[in-house]
Amino acid sequence: MSRFPASQLYFIIPLLGLCTALFVPASPETSTVLAEDLAVNEDEYLFHDSHFHLTNYVQEGTEIRRFLEIMGDKVGRSMLCGIPLQQQWMHANTGDFAPTYYTQTDAPLYYYSFTDAIIAHEYLSLTPQERLRFDPMITGFNPTDMYAADHIRRVLLMFPGVFSGIGEFSIHKEFVSSKISGEVATLENKALDRILDFAAEVGMPVVLHCDVNTPFPRPNQDPYIVTKLRELASRHRDATIIWAHIGLGRVVRPVEDQVGMLERALANPESKNIHFDISWDETAKYLVDSPETIEVTANLINRYPDRFLFGTDCVAPKTQEQYLQTYHIYAPLLEKLTPKAKHLLLKGNYERIFDKARKSVRAWEAEHVKR
């Protein structure tokens, strides 16, 4: 990989530094069992996966018991979600070629709510002991729809004892947002406010994809999205928000120096309810691109170890080698972390957030599900 130009390094430092400013330090009975109750030694695993998709953009994927084999003795627990969007196969566009990813066609994407039923079905096919390794997530809703929160509530009531959180779902996403017909999702949408209000009520963490900037910004263009994300967190201080990929993406990358803008926009100690997810190999390529960026990233995680989670963002893997790819890319970064920071990044923060969520959601269900 090429090294960062100096101008990009100046940006990645404040981008990662926004943590300093913005982020200060099946059956219900079965699902409430926590990590310490697992029949295996958690220390033997490399990590817990805070970001994983069992299915792809055409709702096909890895059978869950096959995924357990892929996790093997390397991964202890994993959040479990589908993809909330379905890629349309438009014959007029790609002919007999059936696209399975959004970059393979110009055809639109549309929201696909049945993904939540697929995840619930897969999870419930497991034994009670096997279920302990997963935290299923609700993601099959349109975040611009004021009824989205009602969908989440309905899924919880229909599948008690299954789900732990919400997401991953997207607000701003390169090459994706523009392919979805209808109202454009934004961080100021009242429908998103309803989702986060309900998440806080139930105690469900929310994994939110929101690019930190536009794909091809003009020089010195302030990423307005960062300000709006800070405002969203401030409006929903009781909601646990996990910002997927630190807002980076395939082409949404560090740009020229924006230190002053980031300090003004993100110096808000009341936004400690947001955590950083450094999942995805497309994110890793920026964070381990040079010794300088590795050092900057490691120092930040070491200072604020309880604000970061590791995830693969792998989609329907076929092999363990494919599944562990992102973890191995991060090896140079992991070597720079203190033992405490490494543990919290790879396992501890996952256990803290999702163990709490399991208890909270099961308690809410006990009060609202009619027996």
Side-chain angles (χ1 to χ4, degrees):
M1 294 182 182
S2 62
R3 294 166 62 89
F4 272 123
S7 62
Q8 292 186 11
L9 182 59
Y10 293 150
F11 178 74
I12 193 67
I13 292 173
L15 172 61
L16 291 171
L18 62 85
C19 281
T20 310
L22 181 58
F23 313 121
V24 181
S27 65
E29 293 77 12
T30 298
S31 298
T32 55
V33 181
L34 305 182
E36 59 265 26
D37 299 309
L38 292 175
V40 293
N41 184 354
E42 292 292 317
D43 292 337
E44 295 177 355
Y45 293 120
L46 297 176
F47 62 89
H48 301 319
D49 195 342
S50 68
H51 193 136
F52 174 76
H53 299 276
L54 189 68
T55 58
N56 62 13
Y57 278 85
V58 293
Q59 311 306 319
E60 298 173 350
T62 308
E63 192 273 330
I64 197 164
R65 279 203 166 79
R66 171 57 185 151
F67 180 49
L68 272 172
E69 295 175 359
I70 291 172
M71 292 169 68
D73 60 357
K74 305 299 184 185
V75 181
R77 294 166 62 182
S78 178
M79 69 88 95
L80 195 69
C81 69
I83 297 283
L85 295 164
Q86 167 77 25
Q87 175 60 64
Q88 180 179 343
W89 179 5
M90 184 181 290
H91 195 272
N93 183 240
T94 60
D96 292 335
F97 172 72
T100 60
Y101 197 59
Y102 57 84
T103 59
Q104 296 176 331
T105 174
D106 293 329
L109 295 158
Y110 57 91
Y111 291 104
Y112 190 86
S113 292
F114 194 67
T115 188
D116 294 329
I118 294 173
I119 294 300
H121 174 78
E122 289 292 307
Y123 175 81
L124 292 171
S125 71
L126 299 172
T127 67
Q129 189 67 22
E130 291 169 334
R131 294 175 193 172
L132 298 179
R133 298 180 69 176
F134 295 106
D135 289 284
M137 311 286 279
I138 298 172
T139 191
F141 53 84
N142 180 344
T144 72
D145 186 353
M146 290 291 285
Y147 280 123
D150 298 87
H151 168 85
I152 296 167
R153 179 187 179 94
R154 189 177 302 118
V155 172
L156 286 178
L157 297 178
M158 185 170 292
F159 298 105
V162 173
F163 290 96
S164 298
I166 301 169
E168 178 202 22
F169 67 96
S170 298
I171 301 300
H172 299 283
K173 185 172 183 179
E174 56 184 12
F175 309 128
V176 170
S177 297
S178 61
K179 295 187 68 174
I180 306 170
S181 61
E183 184 180 0
V184 175
T186 70
L187 292 167
E188 297 176 312
N189 197 304
K190 294 297 183 183
L192 180 57
D193 285 330
R194 287 199 77 210
I195 293 168
L196 291 178
D197 284 342
F198 186 70
E201 174 190 335
V202 183
M204 305 176 79
V206 175
V207 180
L208 177 68
H209 182 121
C210 186
D211 293 343
V212 72
N213 208 344
T214 54
F216 302 103
R218 293 175 297 177
N220 302 313
Q221 175 179 314
D222 286 353
Y224 66 92
I225 298 171
V226 175
T227 301
K228 294 184 181 298
L229 183 63
R230 185 262 302 166
E231 293 170 350
L232 179 74
S234 180
R235 292 199 305 273
H236 300 280
R237 296 173 188 168
D238 293 332
T240 298
I241 302 171
I242 301 173
W243 189 15
H245 327 305
I246 322 179
L248 300 177
R250 185 173 285 100
V251 298
V252 173
R253 56 187 302 163
V255 293
E256 293 186 2
D257 189 294
Q258 298 170 359
V259 176
M261 181 280 304
L262 286 172
E263 289 179 352
R264 291 190 301 272
L266 303 176
N268 186 348
E270 296 178 345
S271 298
K272 59 184 179 181
N273 53 320
I274 296 188
H275 297 73
F276 271 138
D277 153 0
I278 63 168
S279 68
W280 200 14
D281 57 351
E282 294 290 343
T283 299
K285 73 182 180 185
Y286 298 120
L287 302 188
V288 301
D289 189 71
S290 71
E292 292 84 1
T293 54
I294 292 171
E295 193 70 27
V296 167
T297 307
N299 287 342
L300 186 64
I301 296 175
N302 285 334
R303 293 199 308 273
Y304 300 95
D306 58 346
R307 287 294 179 266
F308 291 86
L309 297 101
F310 171 77
T312 65
D313 194 25
C314 196
V315 177
K318 296 182 179 179
T319 66
Q320 188 178 87
E321 180 182 11
Q322 176 191 1
Y323 178 50
L324 298 179
Q325 180 182 2
T326 301
Y327 174 80
H328 292 307
I329 293 174
Y330 273 124
L333 174 63
L334 297 177
E335 291 176 358
K336 295 285 186 178
L337 299 181
T338 66
K340 176 183 178 181
K342 183 177 179 180
H343 168 73
L344 290 176
L345 172 72
L346 297 179
K347 301 176 188 175
N349 291 334
Y350 181 107
E351 293 171 2
R352 171 174 55 85
I353 291 172
F354 283 97
D355 286 355
K356 181 180 179 182
R358 287 185 183 185
K359 285 185 174 181
S360 296
V361 179
R362 299 295 84 83
W364 184 92
E365 290 171 347
E367 182 178 350
H368 292 85
V369 175
K370 296 180 181 180
R371 303 297 179 180

